[in-house]
Amino acid sequence: MTEKANSRELALDVLLEILEKGRMSHVILNQALSKYQYLEKQDRAFITRLVEGTLSYVIQLDWVLDSFSSVKTKKMKPVIRTLLRMSAYQLLYMDRVPDSAVCNEAVKLAKKRGFQTLSGFVNGVLRAVAREKNSLSFPDSEIRYAIPGWMLSMWEREYGSETAEQIAASFLVPRPMSVRMNKSLASEEEILESLRSQKIEVRRSSLMPEVLELSGFDYPEQVEAFRKGHLMVQDASSALVGLISGSKEGDFVLDLCSAPGGKALHAADRGAFVEARDLTERKTELVEENIRRCGFSNIRTRVWDARIFDPSMEGKADVVLADLPCSGLGIIGKKPDIRLRLKEAELSGLAALQREILSEACRYVKPGGTLIYSTCTINRGENEENADWACRNLPLHPKELPPLVPEILKEDCRGNCLQLLPGIHPCDGFFLSAFIKT
């Protein structure tokens, strides 16, 4: 029980950083897992599931707790609130953990954190949840899918109610890790054989044959092909950018918002020379880490604010990749805290920022060259509307996508735009559009 208690305490600390201090979930969880690599695989998996699951279901968990507590979650002390949330998640969704163990360990943690007087309250609320959990009936889709009402309403307006529910439900379903093969560094056969030798489960993406979906391992560094640089963590939706851009040997590719470098390294793998830029040294260091691991010599990094025009690059690039800052609504499944911290009022500001960057990005493209504008969101204001704005206001004309995309996606293209929806397509939510410089 000691190891389990330690795992729960680590999860509690991670969740407090995210939920109470506003830290990014993927950053804090990865830091914790890196620090405690000595833990057994099952303990690391327990922490990961407990953290990600609690974050995914917070809206629903708060409704459940408020149904059985005299003190509403908003009024609780942060440690108690977080402890109850993660414990309620275990009671509702982790069947292998006995209800009695969940309640007992929560009481121990409350006492250990100095809340001896509230341990009875914690025990009472959790025992009530455990007793009544099989008779819960959620009042609406917002509670059922633990998604903010404004998000659901927006998706209902844009895609219809049935699709909106499929999107929301998809964020609660775990997906395997997607990786793209660096085929200039190793053959497909060599990579697959290495994965098989480690008994890693492999499934090929139906969208991009060079993208594999992996499961049955602990963390990427444990995978030999990843350590050798033969694999890059990248979703199939993101890998489509490399295909559609048409980047090839002899091209110069400028990637404006590159970190962690998946698209830039894909262009390098296709033989192009690449300059990968991002706003801070911390972000370019993420790209450099992947460059070193993969061993590419045809890619360099530079710290640069994409909003500021760089005259030295005017008209130099055969391809400009503009995967721009966005609301991230398409990757809530990977970054569940997005559903908690993003506000509807922020969307218009993000769309304006994207237009600001696009205005400079098009100046770097050679006449006849290609600009790819992409986001990992599913909001038309940041996607189709900005693509239409670019055609009307910048020296660009649409590059038709149907001839460039895999057969399975041709019917989903709308001229030069493609919106991929989680729950509808077998990938992250992602938008991409292509333009030719006039």
Side-chain angles (χ1 to χ4, degrees):
M1 289 301 292
T2 303
E3 288 188 7
K4 285 295 182 185
N6 287 341
S7 297
R8 285 186 174 89
E9 188 165 14
L10 291 174
L12 175 63
D13 287 333
V14 170
L15 285 167
L16 283 168
E17 287 289 314
I18 298 164
L19 291 170
E20 301 298 338
K21 297 183 181 179
R23 305 287 295 278
M24 298 289 189
S25 62
H26 63 291
V27 173
I28 297 303
L29 181 56
N30 287 341
Q31 287 176 352
L33 293 176
S34 178
K35 182 177 180 180
Y36 297 103
Q37 279 193 13
Y38 61 82
L39 290 173
E40 295 291 332
K41 178 180 178 180
Q42 64 183 26
D43 290 321
R44 290 164 53 84
F46 178 85
I47 293 168
T48 300
R49 183 176 175 191
L50 185 50
V51 169
E52 293 181 344
T54 300
L55 292 173
S56 295
Y57 281 91
V58 162
I59 292 172
Q60 184 187 108
L61 297 173
D62 284 0
W63 179 86
V64 171
L65 292 169
D66 286 348
S67 300
F68 297 103
S69 171
S70 57
V71 180
K72 302 309 178 188
T73 50
K74 289 182 179 180
K75 299 289 188 179
M76 293 177 186
K77 295 182 182 298
V79 171
I80 298 301
R81 176 170 52 232
T82 305
L83 181 56
L84 285 174
R85 283 169 169 171
M86 62 181 254
S87 300
Y89 175 76
Q90 293 170 75
L91 291 172
L92 297 175
Y93 294 107
M94 297 181 72
D95 294 338
R96 294 185 180 182
V97 183
D99 290 354
S100 58
V102 173
C103 297
N104 292 338
E105 294 303 327
V107 168
K108 288 180 184 177
L109 263 179
K111 292 177 179 178
K112 185 175 181 180
R113 291 303 177 94
F115 294 98
Q116 174 83 32
T117 57
L118 291 176
S119 61
F121 168 75
V122 168
N123 185 60
V125 172
L126 293 178
R127 297 285 178 186
V129 173
R131 191 167 53 248
E132 302 295 333
K133 64 179 181 179
N134 294 324
S135 61
L136 291 173
S137 179
F138 303 124
D140 52 41
S141 295
E142 179 178 354
I143 301 302
R144 183 178 303 110
Y145 301 116
I147 204 84
W150 70 263
M151 288 186 190
L152 271 175
S153 296
M154 179 177 67
W155 297 333
E156 287 170 356
R157 290 193 304 271
E158 296 184 351
Y159 307 114
S161 58
E162 183 178 347
T163 297
E165 289 218 1
Q166 287 178 278
I167 291 170
S170 75
F171 293 138
L172 299 175
V173 180
R175 290 181 54 226
M177 186 176 76
S178 292
V179 295
R180 177 185 48 76
M181 294 182 279
N182 285 320
K183 298 177 79 171
S184 71
L185 303 180
S187 69
E188 185 173 314
E189 183 179 343
E190 180 183 352
I191 293 170
L192 292 173
E193 178 55 37
S194 175
L195 294 170
R196 282 193 292 265
S197 71
Q198 289 191 272
K199 295 182 171 52
I200 293 171
E201 298 171 34
V202 181
R203 185 173 63 188
R204 196 182 296 272
S205 166
S206 60
L207 298 185
M208 288 281 288
E210 63 200 271
V211 172
L212 307 175
E213 297 172 352
L214 308 183
S215 54
F217 63 97
D218 191 6
Y219 51 95
E221 289 77 13
Q222 189 184 60
V223 180
E224 181 185 28
F226 179 84
R227 291 198 307 272
K228 289 182 175 180
H230 300 165
L231 298 175
M232 178 70 194
V233 176
Q234 188 175 20
D235 191 73
S237 58
S238 173
L240 282 169
V241 169
L243 177 69
I244 290 168
S245 73
S247 58
K248 61 187 182 302
E249 189 170 358
D251 282 350
F252 172 55
V253 175
L254 180 62
D255 186 354
L256 296 178
C257 302
S258 186
K263 299 172 192 67
L265 269 74
H266 194 185
D269 189 49
R270 292 168 65 92
F273 182 80
V274 185
E275 179 163 304
R277 296 182 170 189
D278 220 309
L279 183 61
T280 65
E281 286 188 10
R282 181 183 65 80
K283 290 191 171 186
T284 57
E285 283 169 3
L286 293 174
V287 183
E288 289 167 2
E289 182 181 317
N290 281 310
I291 294 172
R292 288 191 294 271
R293 181 176 56 81
C294 295
F296 285 114
S297 59
N298 55 330
I299 179 172
R300 68 190 181 208
T301 65
R302 188 178 184 187
V303 176
W304 192 271
D305 186 338
R307 297 170 297 177
I308 299 173
F309 177 61
D310 178 5
S312 72
M313 279 293 167
E314 187 165 16
K316 296 284 183 68
D318 298 284
V319 176
V320 170
L321 304 180
D323 187 66
L324 301 186
C326 71
S327 57
L329 292 169
I331 55 170
I332 288 176
K334 291 179 176 175
K335 298 179 179 180
D337 52 313
I338 289 173
R339 71 177 79 212
L340 304 174
R341 56 182 172 79
L342 183 69
K343 307 302 178 188
E344 186 174 12
E346 298 175 44
L347 300 183
S348 60
L350 288 165
L353 172 63
Q354 292 153 8
R355 293 193 294 271
E356 184 180 357
I357 296 175
L358 283 172
S359 298
E360 307 305 333
C362 74
R363 300 173 69 180
Y364 304 136
V365 188
K366 292 178 179 178
T370 296
L371 170 69
I372 304 293
Y373 165 49
S374 60
T375 73
C376 56
T377 196
I378 48 177
N379 161 34
R380 284 184 175 156
E382 297 176 82
N383 294 341
E384 291 96 328
E385 291 178 17
N386 268 353
D388 179 62
W389 175 89
C391 283
R392 288 185 286 106
N393 292 277
L394 302 175
L396 301 167
H397 67 262
K399 182 176 183 178
E400 294 294 307
L401 291 186
L404 305 174
V405 302
E407 191 68 33
I408 190 174
L409 293 176
K410 290 186 185 300
E411 292 186 0
D412 293 305
C413 295
R414 299 292 179 267
N416 72 322
C417 297
L418 174 61
Q419 177 69 73
L420 299 166
L421 298 174
I424 306 300
H425 299 96
C427 59
D428 289 338
F430 196 82
F431 172 81
L432 54 88
S433 53
F435 306 87
I436 300 295
K437 176 74 172 287
T438 56

